[in-house]
Amino acid sequence: MLRFASIFIASVAATVAAKPPALERLEPDKAADGDKSTLAWYDARLLPVEGKGWTDTAEFWHRLPARAKGVVRDPVWTLSTNTAGICVRFVTDAPKIAARWTVTSSNLAMPHMPATGVSGLDLYVRHEGQWRWTGAGRPGSTSSSEAVLVDNVPAGTHEYMLYLPLYNGVKSLEIGIPPTAQLFKPAPRAAKPVVVYGTSICQGGCASRPGMAHVAILGRRLDVPTINLGFSGNGKMEPEMADLLAELDPAVYVLDCLPNMTAEMVRERIEPFVRTLRKAHPHTPIVLVEQAPHQAARFLPSARERVDRKNAELRATFERLSDANVPQLTLVPGDRLLGVDDDATVDGTHATDLGFVRMADELEPVLRKLLK
Amino acid sequence: MLRFASIFIASVAATVAAKPPALERLEPDKAADGDKSTLAWYDARLLPVEGKGWTDTAEFWHRLPARAKGVVRDPVWTLSTNTAGICVRFVTDAPKIAARWTVTSSNLAMPHMPATGVSGLDLYVRHEGQWRWTGAGRPGSTSSSEAVLVDNVPAGTHEYMLYLPLYNGVKSLEIGIPPTAQLFKPAPRAAKPVVVYGTSICQGGCASRPGMAHVAILGRRLDVPTINLGFSGNGKMEPEMADLLAELDPAVYVLDCLPNMTAEMVRERIEPFVRTLRKAHPHTPIVLVEQAPHQAARFLPSARERVDRKNAELRATFERLSDANVPQLTLVPGDRLLGVDDDATVDGTHATDLGFVRMADELEPVLRKLLK
């Protein structure tokens, strides 16, 4: 315990100024007693969870509250059952960590996004003060998978973060460690989360694994909790979404919906959306993100013009709101979000890990300044 | 034709100093006459093909000659039927370009690599002197797919390069353009190719699309033909592979097999392999690439040590050969090949597009110097 305590002090110093809270040790799942496996299994719902904005959800791993059903459009509701951006945190001295998980859809992959990103798990460890990738849970061929995430871990107690699937739901998730090892619940982090509302790109399409969505990358770099409210094809900034987002109390709101909107929708919807948030949270920074260029736009004028029109509407909205003295608004230009080589996506629109790192590179300094 | 001629001069000025050769216009496939499609289809085998080291192949799209069967190990032979690194070049004034293709295996994707990379097509255009991505051919749900690669192309005649699937074979490939448009065969490029021999990573695992394997990226940046001799799990530097590679006459050989070898294999096999190439080609530069660190190696000593031992053997081999005055050898260190954030792979070993861009960043200046 002493060894762990010192690691804990160092690792959360940035977010928790007081002395480290006591760690609660977990007991393995009793239901797993009859299991012939040599591992002890723990229900991940008992661990601190980040990335959920609401606790009053219909199922534990949903992203919107149960009462949102019928209020938000059906596709938004369906997508809210995907676990994009949700992660569990734990501390263990285990030399080996495994997971077994069952996803809600047997469509484990998309043609342009591998099963590891759509339905897989992704493990990071805090190592020498930084979150470092340490193992992925690759899905098998059915909805239920079991995988060793990391093995031959050096002695000591380490702090981990396990990301859940980006484009699938989770029915059950268990963490497995050798019976002689101990699993601890770290205290919830004190920092307010960064909330990002957006499209398929925000949801993580098409990252190779859950930790490579740019919202997750930003969470690690800034060492703050994040809430991913990306809804593939359906980030359209309806008033009911503004009401839901206004219920949260984040450190920063990031609004990144242009790829799912027409220029007309941008003109009509963004100002009232921002005003709803601003009314509920007079001082919380709101970041408006322009759409990144289609990756063939340099060659294809039609692809360029479509995005240019929407970004022009967003800038006009930003100017109107600023002229009306709505405070704490930031506009992030889209032109360099994906870099300059036009190679940052799988299909012109959806970022690969390359695109997501570049998006994080652009957004990190903006958020770092606002979080100060 | 005048318009095209001037584009051609500008675009190949780097590799062809003389006046542009006449362009041969292709006739659409007669067999397609009965097709109800509104496109005219052309067999891609009639176009200039790059990335094939041999023409005496059993099937047109194979990477090794027919006589290699039974000489190389069976898995090497099987993998040589994958079209990694093969591309076709064409020139057209078409406002729309489509493709229809049939792959040899109905396993269109891998759990950690999407179908777009395993079985898809990838189109680049030469735009303002640089190769730029312009469209991908996403596979459908069966072995045969048809896709529009690009549409609404601006007027004029443009030069394209179409990459074939990385981890599947191709039975047939046709290019479709509107019947009123013309398809031309550009002259073969005069520059000798860069030949890269390696493992699954070299073959392109796990790029999101064929153009994002680092060998393809390097080919575009350096504007030279490349030959990808990556064999997943089977880049083991056997003497028969040295004999085959010695038959080629490249500008540079790049040998990047360590991930598939043990330290003992590195010690025993690399020196004779290099001597075979050197005997056949006394002055052709040979680049030996160290293995990049496993992306969890910072945290896991066992992962670090395994790679360190192999790299130490490679450095010792390089020193022995240099001491023996074997000329034109270059050693590329592995420690920065994947960057420093440990996020460049899908599974610790296989590069994503992020990892491939970083590998290209490290190898580009080395090759640029050797190609001068």
Side-chain angles (χ1 to χ4, degrees):
Chain A
M1 278 304 289
L2 264 181
R3 178 166 195 149
F4 168 71
S6 65
I7 290 171
F8 195 81
I9 291 169
S11 65
V12 298
T15 50
V16 183
K19 67 178 179 147
L23 283 176
E24 184 185 341
R25 186 183 163 190
L26 286 181
E27 292 301 318
D29 192 350
K30 293 294 174 203
D33 276 0
D35 197 305
K36 294 285 177 287
S37 155
T38 56
L39 297 176
W41 292 95
Y42 298 79
D43 189 326
R45 291 177 297 183
L46 301 177
L47 293 165
V49 172
E50 287 181 0
K52 278 183 64 177
W54 292 268
T55 52
D56 56 336
T57 51
E59 300 288 339
F60 186 84
W61 298 112
H62 286 184
R63 289 186 293 158
L64 289 181
R67 58 195 153 77
K69 190 170 184 179
V71 176
V72 301
R73 287 182 299 109
D74 285 349
V76 175
W77 173 256
T78 303
L79 289 161
S80 78
T81 68
N82 291 176
T83 49
I86 299 183
C87 64
V88 295
R89 295 171 56 234
F90 57 92
V91 168
T92 181
D93 59 358
K96 173 179 178 172
I97 304 172
R100 55 186 188 195
W101 72 108
T102 300
V103 291
T104 54
S105 165
S106 58
N107 292 325
L108 300 182
M110 295 193 283
H112 58 331
M113 183 168 168
T116 42
V118 170
S119 309
L121 303 177
D122 210 7
L123 185 69
Y124 281 75
V125 64
R126 196 190 288 274
H127 177 67
E128 296 178 357
Q130 283 189 288
W131 289 108
R132 294 284 182 179
W133 180 85
T134 190
R138 189 186 296 191
S141 54
T142 67
S143 305
S144 293
S145 301
E146 182 175 328
V148 173
L149 302 173
V150 65
D151 203 351
N152 299 312
V153 174
T157 304
H158 308 285
E159 184 187 359
Y160 296 90
M161 185 151 60
L162 181 68
Y163 294 99
L164 272 60
L166 290 169
Y167 270 79
N168 211 325
V170 166
K171 267 189 197 155
S172 67
L173 168 62
E174 291 168 288
I175 312 288
I177 57 173
T180 50
Q182 296 182 304
L183 188 70
F184 298 100
K185 284 171 69 171
R189 296 202 273 189
K192 288 183 180 181
V194 171
V195 168
V196 188
Y197 172 46
T199 67
S200 54
I201 303 162
C202 175
Q203 189 176 338
C206 292
S208 76
R209 43 185 175 75
M212 292 309 286
H214 74 298
V215 180
I217 297 172
L218 286 165
R220 291 195 300 279
R221 290 192 188 171
L222 301 165
D223 207 8
V224 295
T226 56
I227 295 176
N228 184 330
L229 292 174
F231 300 96
S232 183
N234 285 281
K236 293 178 190 277
M237 303 193 82
E238 301 91 344
E240 63 271 19
M241 290 306 298
D243 291 337
L244 281 164
L245 263 74
E247 295 179 11
L248 303 173
D249 182 25
V252 180
Y253 285 108
V254 180
L255 307 180
D256 187 6
C257 288
L258 264 59
N260 288 165
M261 299 172 82
T262 61
E264 193 182 11
M265 288 161 77
V266 173
R267 187 166 57 245
E268 290 174 358
R269 295 185 178 185
I270 293 186
E271 184 169 341
F273 198 102
V274 167
R275 288 193 181 272
T276 298
L277 297 184
R278 182 51 73 236
K279 194 175 168 194
H281 302 281
H283 307 294
T284 305
I286 299 173
V287 177
L288 302 169
V289 184
E290 284 186 14
Q291 182 167 347
H294 187 278
Q295 295 287 277
R298 217 178 289 270
F299 178 58
L300 302 175
S302 56
R304 189 164 59 241
E305 286 150 17
R306 207 163 45 232
V307 174
D308 284 352
R309 273 198 304 277
K310 294 196 264 181
N311 285 340
E313 288 292 350
L314 183 65
R315 284 193 295 274
T317 302
F318 175 76
E319 294 299 335
R320 270 200 313 279
L321 287 163
S322 299
D323 289 348
N325 293 315
V326 176
Q328 285 277 51
L329 296 184
T330 305
L331 181 76
V332 176
D335 55 344
R336 294 186 65 93
L337 274 176
L338 292 175
V340 295
D341 62 7
D342 305 345
D343 262 339
T345 67
V346 63
D347 58 2
T349 302
H350 292 98
T352 58
D353 293 10
L354 178 63
F356 281 123
V357 160
R358 290 173 176 172
M359 289 169 68
D361 288 345
E362 290 295 295
L363 290 167
E364 181 187 346
V366 175
L367 293 176
R368 200 174 283 284
K369 196 174 154 196
L370 295 173
L371 291 171
K372 257 181 189 162
Chain B
M1 277 302 289
L2 265 180
R3 176 166 195 152
F4 168 70
S6 66
I7 289 172
F8 194 81
I9 292 170
S11 65
V12 299
T15 49
V16 183
K19 66 175 179 149
L23 282 177
E24 185 185 340
R25 185 183 163 191
L26 286 181
E27 292 300 320
D29 193 350
K30 293 293 176 203
D33 275 0
D35 198 304
K36 296 284 177 287
S37 157
T38 56
L39 298 176
W41 292 96
Y42 298 79
D43 189 326
R45 291 176 298 183
L46 302 177
L47 293 165
V49 172
E50 287 181 0
K52 279 183 64 176
W54 292 267
T55 52
D56 56 336
T57 50
E59 300 289 340
F60 185 85
W61 298 113
H62 285 183
R63 288 186 293 158
L64 289 180
R67 57 196 153 77
K69 190 171 184 178
V71 175
V72 302
R73 288 180 300 109
D74 285 348
V76 174
W77 173 256
T78 303
L79 289 161
S80 78
T81 68
N82 291 176
T83 50
I86 299 182
C87 63
V88 295
R89 294 172 56 234
F90 57 92
V91 168
T92 181
D93 58 359
K96 173 178 177 173
I97 304 172
R100 54 186 187 195
W101 71 108
T102 299
V103 291
T104 54
S105 165
S106 58
N107 292 325
L108 300 182
M110 295 193 283
H112 58 330
M113 184 167 168
T116 43
V118 170
S119 308
L121 304 176
D122 210 8
L123 185 69
Y124 281 74
V125 64
R126 197 190 290 274
H127 177 67
E128 295 178 358
Q130 282 189 287
W131 289 108
R132 296 283 183 178
W133 180 84
T134 191
R138 189 186 295 193
S141 54
T142 66
S143 304
S144 293
S145 301
E146 182 175 328
V148 173
L149 302 174
V150 66
D151 203 351
N152 299 311
V153 174
T157 303
H158 308 284
E159 184 188 0
Y160 295 91
M161 184 153 60
L162 181 67
Y163 294 99
L164 274 59
L166 291 169
Y167 270 81
N168 212 326
V170 166
K171 266 188 197 158
S172 67
L173 169 63
E174 290 166 290
I175 312 287
I177 57 173
T180 50
Q182 297 183 303
L183 188 70
F184 299 100
K185 283 171 69 170
R189 296 201 274 189
K192 288 184 181 181
V194 171
V195 168
V196 188
Y197 171 46
T199 67
S200 54
I201 303 162
C202 175
Q203 189 176 338
C206 292
S208 77
R209 43 186 175 76
M212 291 309 286
H214 75 297
V215 180
I217 298 172
L218 286 165
R220 291 195 301 278
R221 291 193 189 169
L222 301 165
D223 207 9
V224 295
T226 56
I227 295 176
N228 184 330
L229 292 173
F231 300 96
S232 182
N234 286 282
K236 293 178 189 279
M237 304 193 82
E238 301 92 343
E240 64 270 21
M241 290 306 299
D243 291 338
L244 281 164
L245 263 75
E247 294 178 12
L248 304 173
D249 182 25
V252 180
Y253 285 110
V254 179
L255 308 179
D256 186 7
C257 288
L258 263 60
N260 288 165
M261 299 173 80
T262 61
E264 192 181 11
M265 288 161 78
V266 174
R267 188 165 57 245
E268 289 174 358
R269 295 185 178 184
I270 293 187
E271 183 168 345
F273 198 103
V274 168
R275 288 191 180 277
T276 298
L277 298 184
R278 185 48 75 235
K279 194 174 168 196
H281 301 281
H283 307 294
T284 305
I286 299 174
V287 178
L288 302 169
V289 184
E290 284 186 13
Q291 182 167 346
H294 187 277
Q295 295 287 275
R298 219 178 288 271
F299 179 58
L300 302 175
S302 56
R304 189 164 59 241
E305 286 152 17
R306 206 163 47 232
V307 174
D308 284 353
R309 273 199 304 278
K310 294 195 262 181
N311 285 340
E313 288 292 350
L314 183 65
R315 284 194 295 275
T317 303
F318 175 77
E319 294 300 333
R320 271 201 312 278
L321 288 162
S322 299
D323 289 349
N325 294 317
V326 176
Q328 284 277 49
L329 296 185
T330 304
L331 181 75
V332 175
D335 55 344
R336 295 186 65 92
L337 274 176
L338 291 175
V340 295
D341 63 7
D342 305 346
D343 262 339
T345 68
V346 63
D347 59 1
T349 302
H350 293 97
T352 58
D353 293 11
L354 178 63
F356 282 123
V357 160
R358 290 174 176 172
M359 288 169 68
D361 287 345
E362 289 295 295
L363 290 167
E364 181 186 348
V366 174
L367 293 176
R368 201 174 282 282
K369 196 174 154 195
L370 295 173
L371 291 171
K372 258 183 187 160

